[in-house]
């Protein structure tokens, strides 16, 4: 997909308020792009950046017009692009959402009824997202297709809507507050070893409050 086509996807979008640099305007626009359009935007911007890195000095007219529609001069893409990291995070978040399981699948993992799974979603003892099709459950909370002991307490520590990338980062990084035999463990490793889930909940709470 070309840059010109990306501009068509965003036709009619009002530009962000003035006073920002070109990169900030792009980031603000990305925040307003629908999830199902992000792949196209990533593909288009990656193509532009690759052309610049390859030493191509001239953009096609369609590319220049597409960049102008996004409020970005071609010169703003010189140097390392911040936008790639932002888009990468957005696409990674979408990947985690796509891996989400339905209530029936989770019921099979937990050995309970789908009704009980939905009840746990409502009470917050499983991380879940409500969609038009019903509850969905990020698969990251079921390592090795199982639920760790005490997971219900940990799940409740995450406020509804917490970005899944943040959830995954907190659960998989070693913590100095979760130590066995002088080794720092991640929350998942701690739970797997039978550690106190309330200790993990405290780690989650502290990590969330450190995030601006």
């Amino acid at each position: 997909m070309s840059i010109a086509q990306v501009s068509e996807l965003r036709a009619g979008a009002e530009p962000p308020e003035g006073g920002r640099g070109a990169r900030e305007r792009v980031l603000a626009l990305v925040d307003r792009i629908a999830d199902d359009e992000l792949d196209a935007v990533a593909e288009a911007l990656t193509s532009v950046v690759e052309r610049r890195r390859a030493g191509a000095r001239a953009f096609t007219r369609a590319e220049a017009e597409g960049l102008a529609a996004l409020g970005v001069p071609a010169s703003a893409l010189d140097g390392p692009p911040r936008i790639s990291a932002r888009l990468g995070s957005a696409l990674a978040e979408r990947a985690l959402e796509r891996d989400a399981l339905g209530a029936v699948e989770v019921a099979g993992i937990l050995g309970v009824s789908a009704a009980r799974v939905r009840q746990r979603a409502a009470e917050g003892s499983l991380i879940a997202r409500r969609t038009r099709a019903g509850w969905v459950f990020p698969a990251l909370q079921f390592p090795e297709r199982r639920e760790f002991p005490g997971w219900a307490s940990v799940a409740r520590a995450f406020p509804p809507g917490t970005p899944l990338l943040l959830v995954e980062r907190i659960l998989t990084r070693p913590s100095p507050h979760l130590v066995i035999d002088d080794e720092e463990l991640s929350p998942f490793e701690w739970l797997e070893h039978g550690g106190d889930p309330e200790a993990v909940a405290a780690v989650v709470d502290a990590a969330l409050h450190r995030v601006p």
Side-chain angles (χ1 to χ4, degrees):
M1 179 172 288
S2 70
I3 285 289
Q5 288 172 303
V6 173
S7 68
E8 292 173 2
L9 285 173
R10 303 307 303 150
E14 297 180 0
E17 296 180 4
R20 307 179 191 178
R23 295 179 186 279
E24 284 68 27
R25 290 199 299 274
V26 172
L27 290 172
L29 283 167
V30 167
D31 285 335
R32 297 167 61 181
I33 293 172
D35 284 349
D36 59 0
E37 297 172 352
L38 278 174
D39 284 324
V41 175
E43 177 186 345
L45 289 178
T46 297
S47 174
V48 171
V49 171
E50 286 176 351
R51 284 173 60 89
R52 299 294 290 178
R53 286 178 174 170
R57 293 297 177 184
F59 290 94
T60 67
R61 180 176 178 179
E63 287 174 338
E65 290 175 352
L67 286 170
L70 287 171
V72 185
S75 61
L77 293 178
D78 287 327
R82 260 179 56 201
I83 190 68
S84 60
R86 184 68 172 266
L87 279 172
S89 294
L91 293 173
E93 182 80 10
R94 285 187 61 206
L96 289 172
E97 292 174 351
R98 283 197 300 269
D99 288 340
L101 308 172
V104 173
E105 293 174 279
V106 175
I109 292 172
L110 303 183
V112 297
S113 67
R116 174 55 183 154
V117 170
R118 288 189 285 269
Q119 181 183 28
R120 290 191 58 182
E123 69 188 20
S125 63
L126 288 174
I127 295 176
R129 299 285 191 270
R130 185 183 282 279
T131 69
R132 283 176 291 184
W135 289 105
V136 295
F137 303 80
L140 64 85
Q141 66 192 305
F142 306 114
E144 303 173 6
R145 304 285 291 184
R146 64 192 179 97
E147 179 183 14
F148 284 147
W151 175 248
S153 297
V154 177
R156 290 189 181 96
F158 288 101
T162 301
L164 298 181
L165 277 176
L166 180 56
V167 173
E168 184 179 51
R169 185 177 72 189
I170 292 173
L171 293 174
T172 57
R173 287 189 174 180
S175 169
H177 303 290
L178 306 174
V179 179
I180 295 178
D181 295 332
D182 296 326
E183 180 182 359
E184 294 183 4
L185 303 181
S186 71
F188 272 151
E189 291 170 331
W190 176 266
L191 293 175
E192 188 173 21
H193 283 79
D196 182 4
E198 294 302 326
V200 173
V203 167
V204 170
D205 184 69
L208 292 176
H209 282 85
R210 284 199 303 269
V211 176

